[in-house]
C-alpha cells in the first residue's frame, strides 16, 4: 500500500464533514435540553450559583487550582476598574500516587502546599484571607461554597471523595495542618473561573472553555440568568471509529468522557499511538524495523512537536524517531507520521468548534449578539493551529456571522476568576 493510500484510510476514520458537525450541534442541543430538565443525558448541566462579576470587586484573595497537571495556589489582588494582579503563584506537582491514593492523602497534600505557599510568599498566618477553590471536576453544588464530587475525571481517582463535600474535606485538612487564617468563600469549576475572569472586564463574555488536560465549558443560561457548567467532556453523541472504541475501552473510565477522549491533552497522543501501532502491526508503516509504540509513549506534547516541525526534511521528527530506535526513517514516512497527527488533532479542533457553536447558538440561535468566549488550557495555548482551525470551522458553520463569536485566551483564568467569585461571595 502506498503512503497516500494509507493516509486515505486513516483520513476516512478521522474525517468529520461539516454536515456531520451540524448534526452534532443538533444532538448537543438535545442533550443540553435533557440535562437542564434533569432527564437522562450525557451532559450534566450543573448549576454553579455564580453570576458574572461587576468589575467592582476589590481586595486580596487566595485561589486554589486543582484539576490539571499542577496544583496551584495564587494570591490575587483585585483593584479598581477591573484590574487584576497576580501577586504570588505557587506550583506544586501532585505525585501520581497522591492523585490515586486516598482522599485524605490528597487533601493533606493540598493543605501542606497551602502552608508552604503562605511561608514562601511571606503572607504568613496573621491576616485573614478569603479563598476561592477551583475544583475542576463534575460536582453538584448546593450553594456557592459547597459541592459534592459526582465522579473523578482525568488522572484522578483518590478514594473516599466521590459523593463527599470537597469543601468540607478541605476545611478538615486545613485544620489538621493547623491553618486557621484561611476561609473558603467560594468553590467553582475552572471553566467558570475562566469565564468570570474575562467577564470582569468584558460584559460580552458568556462562555468559558478549557482545552487542557481535560475539556469542558460553561455558559450563561438565559432562562435562569445563571452560569451552568455543562461538563461537555462527557458528551457521547459522536460517531466513533474503531480507534476511539479501543481507546475508550483501555481507559480508566470506559464509556465516560467520550468527547474529552477525542479532544483533550490527556488523550490525543494515546489515540495517535493506537493508529501507529495498528499500522506497524499490519506492516504498513516502519516496515523492517522493530518499531514499537507502546501505551504512553506517544504523548500529545509529542504530537504537537511533530506537527510544528516545518523543516523541509522534518529533521525534528527524524531525531525523535531515532531516539526511539527507528533509525534511517524515510522522509515519506516522517511526513506520513506528521499527517496522521494532523488528522487526529484536526478532528479534535473541529469537534471543539462544533461544541462551541452549539453552546453559543443555544443562547442566541441566530447569532444576533456578540459573544466573547474566554478560553484557557495548554492545548489551546500551545497546540499548532488550534485557534485557526476553530475559527475556520466556525466560518464553515456560520458564514460571516462567525464574526460574532470572539475567542479570547484568558490566561490563568481559572485562578483569577475564582478569586473574583470569592470576592463577590465574601461581600455578598
Ligand atoms: C472535568 C471538568 C473540567 C475539565 C477541564 C474535565 O475532565 O470533568 O470539570 O472543567 O476537565 O479541566
Amino acid at each position: 500500500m502506498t503512503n497516500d493510500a494509507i493516509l486515505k484510510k486513516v483520513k476516512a476514520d478521522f474525517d468529520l464533514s461539516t454536515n456531520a458537525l451540524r448534526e452534532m450541534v443538533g444532538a448537543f442541543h438535545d442533550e443540553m435540553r435533557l440535562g437542564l430538565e434533569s432527564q437522562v443525558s450525557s451532559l450534566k448541566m450543573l448549576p454553579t450559583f455564580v453570576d458574572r462579576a461587576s468589575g467592582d470587586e476589590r481586595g486580596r484573595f487566595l485561589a486554589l487550582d486543582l484539576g490539571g497537571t499542577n496544583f496551584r495556589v495564587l494570591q490575587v489582588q483585585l483593584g479598581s476598574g477591573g484590574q487584576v494582579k497576580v501577586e504570588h503563584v505557587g506550583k506544586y506537582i501532585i505525585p501520581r500516587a497522591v492523585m490515586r491514593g486516598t482522599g485524605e492523602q490528597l487533601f493533606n497534600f493540598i493543605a501542606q502546599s497551602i502552608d508552604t505557599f503562605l511561608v514562601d510568599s511571606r503572607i504568613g498566618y496573621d491576616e485573614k484571607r478569603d479563598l476561592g477553590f477551583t475544583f475542576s471536576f463534575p460536582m453538584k453544588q448546593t450553594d456557592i461554597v459547597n459541592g459534592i464530587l459526582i465522579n473523578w475525571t482525568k488522572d484522578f481517582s483518590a478514594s473516599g471523595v466521590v459523593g463527599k463535600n470537597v469543601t468540607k474535606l478541605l476545611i478538615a485538612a486545613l485544620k489538621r495542618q493547623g491553618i486557621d487564617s484561611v476561609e473558603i468563600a467560594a468553590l467553582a469549576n475552572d471553566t467558570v473561573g475562566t469565564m468570570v475572569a474575562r467577564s470582569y472586564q468584558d460584559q460580552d463574555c458568556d462562555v468559558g472553555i478549557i482545552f487542557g488536560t481535560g475539556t469542558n465549558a460553561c455558559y450563561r443560561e438565559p432562562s435562569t440568568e445563571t452560569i451552568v457548567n455543562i461538563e461537555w467532556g462527557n458528551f457521547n453523541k459522536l460517531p466513533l471509529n474503531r480507534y476511539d472504541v479501543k481507546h475508550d475501552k483501555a481507559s480508566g473510565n470506559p464509556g465516560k468522557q467520550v468527547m474529552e477522549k477525542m479532544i483533550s491533552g490527556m488523550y490525543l497522543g494515546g489515540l495517535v499511538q493506537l493508529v501507529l501501532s495498528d499500522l506497524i502491526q499490519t506492516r504498513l508503516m516502519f516496515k523492517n524495523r522493530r518499531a514499537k509504540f507502546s501505551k504512553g509513549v506517544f504523548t500529545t506534547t509529542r504530537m504537537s512537536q511533530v506537527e510544528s516541525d516545518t523543516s523541509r526534511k522534518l529533521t525534528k521528527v527524524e531525531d525523535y524517531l531515532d531516539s526511539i530506535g527507528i533509525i534511517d526513517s524515510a522522509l515519506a514516512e516522517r511526513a506520513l507520521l506528521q499527517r496522521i497527527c494532523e488528522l487526529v488533532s484536526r478532528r479534535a479542533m473541529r469537534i471543539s468548534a462544533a461544541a462551541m457553536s452549539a453552546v453559543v447558538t443555544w443562547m442566541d440561535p441566530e447569532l444576533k449578539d456578540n459573544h466573547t468566549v474566554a478560553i484557557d488550557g495548554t492545548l489551546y495555548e500551545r497546540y499548532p493551529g488550534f485557534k485557526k482551525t476553530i475559527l475556520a470551522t466556525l466560518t464553515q458553520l456560520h458564514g460571516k456571522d462567525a464574526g460574532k463569536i470572539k475567542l479570547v485566551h484568558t490566561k490563568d483564568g481559572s485562578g483569577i476568576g475564582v478569586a473574583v467569585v470569592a470576592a463577590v461571595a465574601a461581600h455578598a
Side-chain angles (χ1 to χ4, degrees):
M1 209 188 260
T2 63
N3 281 347
D4 273 354
I6 298 171
L7 201 60
K8 223 169 147 187
K9 210 166 102 86
V10 181
K11 196 165 187 251
D13 278 321
F14 284 92
D15 236 8
L16 259 186
S17 67
T18 307
N19 263 342
L21 294 181
R22 287 212 172 88
E23 273 171 32
M24 174 187 154
V25 171
F28 204 96
H29 284 168
D30 292 342
E31 292 287 280
M32 283 178 88
R33 189 171 304 112
L34 291 170
L36 284 173
E37 291 168 356
S38 302
Q39 298 197 51
V40 177
S41 166
S42 61
L43 298 179
K44 295 190 180 70
M45 308 298 285
L46 303 165
T48 66
F49 301 90
V50 175
D51 198 0
R52 289 186 294 192
S54 65
D56 297 332
E57 294 75 12
R58 305 271 177 280
R60 280 205 164 93
F61 298 88
L62 293 183
L64 300 188
D65 192 358
L66 178 75
T69 342
N70 296 313
F71 168 64
R72 299 187 315 154
V73 188
L74 300 89
Q75 175 163 280
V76 179
Q77 193 193 356
L78 307 177
S80 55
Q83 268 188 354
V84 177
K85 197 169 154 219
V86 177
E87 296 180 317
H88 301 282
V89 186
K91 268 192 194 171
Y92 310 91
I93 297 168
I94 311 176
R96 246 178 107 79
V98 172
M99 281 184 186
R100 298 162 159 256
T102 66
E104 187 165 321
Q105 284 168 334
L106 177 63
F107 281 88
N108 280 349
F109 176 85
I110 295 173
Q112 281 153 11
S113 306
I114 295 173
D115 209 350
T116 309
F117 175 81
L118 291 175
V119 173
D120 289 353
S121 62
R122 295 173 197 273
I123 296 169
Y125 311 94
D126 294 339
E127 269 179 71
K128 286 242 177 268
R129 284 273 187 278
D130 284 314
L131 175 145
F133 183 15
T134 305
F135 185 72
S136 307
F137 301 95
M139 58 176 161
K140 190 171 160 42
Q141 286 194 246
T142 42
D143 55 40
I144 184 69
V145 191
N146 295 289
I148 290 162
L149 174 66
I150 300 174
N151 57 264
W152 284 119
T153 58
K154 298 170 279 200
D155 242 354
F156 286 73
S157 63
S159 62
V161 187
V162 171
K164 297 268 169 59
N165 183 336
V166 292
T167 299
K168 286 212 172 119
L169 296 180
L170 178 58
I171 292 173
L174 288 171
K175 206 167 163 196
R176 284 196 293 273
Q177 191 67 27
I179 301 174
D180 57 12
S181 56
V182 172
E183 180 107 10
I184 303 170
L187 175 71
N189 185 258
D190 50 354
T191 57
V192 176
T194 302
M195 174 177 157
V196 171
R198 178 69 202 176
S199 66
Y200 192 57
Q201 36 169 301
D202 174 356
Q203 292 295 313
D204 285 339
C205 179
D206 49 13
V207 185
I209 303 182
I210 300 289
F211 293 117
T213 311
T215 184
N216 185 19
C218 72
Y219 73 105
R220 194 160 194 265
E221 168 55 40
S223 66
T224 53
E225 297 192 340
T226 54
I227 302 175
V228 173
N229 167 12
I230 302 175
E231 285 297 330
W232 81 9
N234 197 48
F235 181 64
N236 66 5
K237 303 283 177 282
L238 279 164
L240 303 183
N241 65 34
R242 59 213 157 103
Y243 301 114
D244 295 315
V245 173
K246 209 167 164 189
H247 190 210
D248 176 59
K249 274 201 187 129
S251 72
N253 53 354
K256 303 258 171 65
Q257 299 298 99
V258 173
M259 186 167 94
E260 181 161 272
K261 288 171 188 158
M262 299 164 99
I263 293 184
S264 80
M266 184 171 151
Y267 299 102
L268 281 187
L271 207 47
V272 171
Q273 180 254 317
L274 284 181
V275 178
L276 296 178
S277 299
D278 185 27
L279 294 176
I280 290 169
Q281 237 171 39
T282 47
R283 305 189 65 72
L284 290 174
M285 218 177 157
F286 303 126
K287 268 175 273 186
N288 310 324
R289 297 188 192 84
R290 286 213 271 122
K292 220 173 135 206
F293 282 91
S294 35
K295 203 174 167 194
V297 165
F298 205 77
T299 59
T300 307
T301 310
R302 181 66 65 196
M303 269 174 90
S304 109
Q305 284 161 356
V306 167
E307 278 197 48
S308 43
D309 188 350
T310 49
S311 66
R312 210 164 40 88
K313 293 202 165 153
L314 298 176
T315 42
K316 273 199 225 137
V317 180
E318 185 173 22
D319 289 348
Y320 164 62
L321 289 173
D322 276 354
S323 77
I324 57 164
I326 305 178
I327 23 186
D328 302 331
S329 60
L331 176 59
E333 285 177 314
R334 302 198 286 275
L336 180 60
L337 173 62
Q338 194 176 50
R339 288 289 292 131
I340 290 172
C341 291
E342 274 169 27
L343 287 173
V344 176
S345 69
R346 231 181 94 82
R347 185 185 68 162
M349 298 169 199
R350 284 173 65 76
I351 295 174
S352 302
M356 192 185 298
S357 154
V359 175
V360 176
T361 55
W362 173 264
M363 294 183 286
D364 179 8
E366 285 158 37
L367 291 180
K368 289 197 173 124
D369 303 318
N370 290 323
H371 301 271
T372 300
V373 180
I375 310 178
D376 200 9
T378 37
L379 203 63
Y380 183 77
E381 206 175 337
R382 303 208 196 122
Y383 206 99
F386 210 93
K387 180 175 183 183
K388 209 168 135 214
T389 304
I390 289 188
L391 290 178
T393 311
L394 287 175
T395 301
Q396 284 175 354
L397 290 169
H398 300 292
K400 70 171 181 7
D401 286 343
K404 293 280 178 61
I405 308 172
K406 188 165 125 194
L407 277 57
V408 178
H409 180 206
T410 308
K411 198 164 166 50
D412 273 347
S414 53
I416 293 169
V418 82
V420 178
V421 176
V424 176
H427 296 151

